[in-house]
Amino acid sequence: MKKDTSTEAKIKEAAKTVFLAKGFEGCTSREIANAAGMNVALVNYYFRSKSQLFKLVFQSAVEDIVLSTVHIFKTEQTLIEKMRYFIEKEYEFLAKHPEIPNFIINEMNREDGCFIEYNHLFQQVAETGIFNECMTEQAAGRMREISLVSMILLIMSNCQYPTISKKLMQSIHQISEDEYAGQLISHRSHVTEMIIAYLFPKNLSNT
Amino acid sequence: MKKDTSTEAKIKEAAKTVFLAKGFEGCTSREIANAAGMNVALVNYYFRSKSQLFKLVFQSAVEDIVLSTVHIFKTEQTLIEKMRYFIEKEYEFLAKHPEIPNFIINEMNREDGCFIEYNHLFQQVAETGIFNECMTEQAAGRMREISLVSMILLIMSNCQYPTISKKLMQSIHQISEDEYAGQLISHRSHVTEMIIAYLFPKNLSNT
DNA sequence: TATTGTTTTAAACGCTTGTTTAAAATTGTT
DNA sequence: AACAATTTTAAACAAGCGTTTAAAACAATA
């Protein structure tokens, strides 16, 4: 696995950094070129336009966060173990890439925003059988009756919102970045136990 | 209560609509002026600059959402009832003003973003005694031991994220705006029961 | 009505934006 | 070494940005 140091790759990498940090409207082509140490014209030489480059970055950001979850659900574990593991890994992922959720949500809300094809990505998650497994457990009375939308919302809300609202929370509680990171560690346990306890009410093995 | 139809008020109102929908960087002074049916120059005539006008709008958006919660906590109810009531009212508020949370979070994350004074607002919430009440209940063993940060995060995550991620969720699940609104209704019950059950584990009166 | 002060307008300001151009530099090939 | 193709550059383009200006329209007062 050699690192691609070509001009094209450098620009794309710089674009990812800048777009994730500032959004499509929040940055300029020249800013991206500078971040890559390149001339402005090269951005369009390799990617035709700012929008074109953005689409590539957006798509790969979505894939990053979706595909990071796929292999988790493929493990041989009980459903509860998978859920615990997923939340843990999601928090780890978001610690490394905190800008991604906000970035995706923002650009989707934008007028003329980025509407890409999610079907195949969502399909890949579905193909792990995680959703079917939930249906089975629900039918067997071992899991609470809940829609797929609600279940996904419960998990994503409690994983992503704490990262998305970092600046706001720091401001409200007057705490530093490190202090908030510390809070997130204990918050993760609360989230995990709360969700597991709610989704599997009769299960007694909750720690 | 007479409605202010002055030019100044019209511009401010239009600015609120446009800023909330598109953000500071996502719109232009001319766009705001047009939305108000006014000349561009009037924006700066009354508000000195686009940034100045934005600060007013941002401040009032924050106040809208914070102050909408204050009176809820002033009611004479048990802590659990207050929490249920708060979540209910928060969902109602967000149904009316779905852009506000995303708007605030976004602008706070922006470079040179809007850093306003939250102390007095957070203070107003604190003065309802809700936080002290939680401390008391925790000390008495009637409520789970949890930090203030985590408690607020739990509630805000589960109230705000479903609204913030509307477009994303619609895209993932391929559902219409109305269908998603319907999902939110049942989701609110899940959220309420889950949070109450988690925060007050020994309480038996959960429906 | 004449003279204020205020409000609104069209036009322009300098600057930055995304994008294009045409020449220069570099690389690859024979 | 000579030519061709590719890559990079500096400069320019028109369009749009926030903001300012100076004159016009309006309102109020005397």
Side-chain angles (χ1 to χ4, degrees):
Chain A
M1 179 178 153
K2 56 174 180 181
K3 186 184 170 188
D4 194 350
T5 58
S6 68
T7 302
E8 185 172 349
K10 277 196 227 164
I11 292 176
K12 194 172 174 182
E13 198 180 346
K16 190 163 188 171
T17 306
V18 176
F19 276 141
L20 277 168
K22 306 193 170 188
F24 179 77
E25 282 160 341
C27 71
T28 69
S29 300
R30 283 166 179 81
E31 198 172 350
I32 292 170
N34 288 343
M38 302 291 168
N39 190 287
V40 209
L42 289 175
V43 173
N44 282 22
Y45 177 75
Y46 283 104
F47 299 97
R48 279 177 47 98
S49 71
K50 186 192 177 190
S51 316
Q52 199 81 9
L53 176 54
F54 179 80
K55 276 184 190 166
L56 292 177
V57 169
F58 184 81
Q59 183 108 22
S60 91
V62 172
E63 281 171 4
D64 278 356
I65 198 166
V66 173
L67 296 183
S68 81
T69 79
V70 169
H71 78 281
I72 293 171
F73 290 136
K74 283 185 177 165
T75 57
E76 291 279 346
Q77 291 174 308
T78 67
L79 183 56
I80 293 182
E81 283 167 345
K82 276 183 199 167
M83 294 249 178
R84 285 184 184 279
Y85 189 54
F86 173 76
I87 294 171
E88 185 185 330
K89 289 296 167 188
E90 189 76 357
Y91 268 78
E92 279 177 22
F93 178 86
L94 291 171
K96 281 183 205 153
H97 311 282
E99 330 83 4
I100 290 188
N102 208 14
F103 171 75
I104 292 174
I105 287 173
N106 258 302
E107 300 298 336
M108 289 217 54
N109 282 340
R110 217 180 72 223
E111 210 177 24
D112 308 321
C114 228
F115 293 105
I116 66 169
E117 188 57 50
Y118 289 99
N119 287 7
H120 73 286
L121 285 170
F122 193 65
Q123 200 63 30
Q124 283 190 256
V125 180
E127 276 169 9
T128 65
I130 184 71
F131 301 138
N132 287 334
E133 203 173 343
C134 289
M135 303 289 187
T136 307
E137 293 299 294
Q138 287 185 22
R142 289 189 294 268
M143 181 180 172
R144 183 185 297 270
E145 290 286 341
I146 189 172
S147 74
L148 191 54
V149 174
S150 258
M151 192 189 76
I152 290 175
L153 263 183
L154 278 189
I155 294 171
M156 289 182 69
S157 296
N158 288 286
C159 288
Q160 295 192 2
Y161 187 88
T163 301
I164 290 175
S165 66
K166 190 182 82 173
K167 283 269 171 62
L168 177 61
M169 290 298 143
Q170 279 183 240
S171 181
I172 287 177
H173 296 101
Q174 307 260 50
I175 57 179
S176 71
E177 201 145 342
D178 288 347
E179 282 176 290
Y180 190 69
Q183 283 282 350
L184 279 194
I185 293 174
S186 65
H187 187 69
R188 197 190 77 190
S189 321
H190 285 305
V191 163
T192 310
E193 299 317 311
M194 180 183 70
I195 291 179
I196 298 291
Y198 185 72
L199 291 182
F200 307 94
K202 292 172 184 166
N203 185 283
L204 301 171
S205 70
N206 304 330
T207 312
Chain B
M1 177 179 154
K2 58 174 180 182
K3 185 184 171 188
D4 193 349
T5 59
S6 69
T7 301
E8 185 172 349
K10 277 196 228 166
I11 292 176
K12 194 172 173 181
E13 197 180 348
K16 191 162 188 172
T17 305
V18 177
F19 276 141
L20 276 168
K22 305 193 171 189
F24 180 77
E25 284 161 340
C27 71
T28 70
S29 300
R30 283 166 178 83
E31 197 171 351
I32 293 170
N34 288 344
M38 301 291 168
N39 190 287
V40 210
L42 289 176
V43 174
N44 283 23
Y45 176 74
Y46 283 106
F47 300 97
R48 277 178 49 94
S49 70
K50 186 191 177 190
S51 316
Q52 199 82 6
L53 175 54
F54 178 80
K55 275 183 191 166
L56 292 177
V57 170
F58 183 81
Q59 184 108 22
S60 90
V62 173
E63 281 171 4
D64 278 357
I65 198 166
V66 173
L67 296 183
S68 81
T69 80
V70 169
H71 78 281
I72 292 171
F73 290 136
K74 283 182 177 167
T75 57
E76 292 278 346
Q77 292 174 307
T78 67
L79 184 54
I80 292 182
E81 283 166 346
K82 276 185 199 165
M83 293 250 179
R84 284 183 184 280
Y85 189 53
F86 173 77
I87 294 171
E88 186 185 329
K89 288 297 166 187
E90 188 77 356
Y91 267 78
E92 279 177 22
F93 178 86
L94 292 171
K96 282 181 203 153
H97 311 282
E99 331 82 2
I100 290 188
N102 207 14
F103 172 75
I104 293 174
I105 286 173
N106 258 303
E107 300 299 336
M108 290 217 52
N109 282 340
R110 218 181 71 223
E111 210 178 23
D112 309 320
C114 229
F115 293 105
I116 67 169
E117 187 57 50
Y118 289 98
N119 288 6
H120 74 286
L121 284 171
F122 194 64
Q123 199 64 29
Q124 282 190 255
V125 180
E127 276 168 8
T128 64
I130 184 72
F131 301 138
N132 287 333
E133 204 174 342
C134 289
M135 303 290 187
T136 308
E137 294 298 294
Q138 286 184 20
R142 289 189 294 269
M143 181 181 172
R144 183 185 296 270
E145 290 286 342
I146 189 173
S147 74
L148 191 55
V149 174
S150 258
M151 192 190 75
I152 290 175
L153 263 183
L154 278 189
I155 295 170
M156 290 182 69
S157 296
N158 289 286
C159 288
Q160 295 192 3
Y161 187 87
T163 301
I164 290 176
S165 65
K166 190 182 82 172
K167 283 269 173 61
L168 177 60
M169 290 298 144
Q170 278 184 240
S171 182
I172 287 178
H173 296 101
Q174 308 260 50
I175 58 179
S176 71
E177 201 146 341
D178 288 346
E179 282 175 290
Y180 190 68
Q183 284 283 348
L184 280 194
I185 293 174
S186 65
H187 188 69
R188 197 190 76 192
S189 322
H190 285 305
V191 163
T192 310
E193 299 317 312
M194 180 183 70
I195 291 179
I196 298 293
Y198 185 73
L199 292 181
F200 307 96
K202 290 171 187 167
N203 185 284
L204 302 172
S205 70
N206 302 330
T207 312

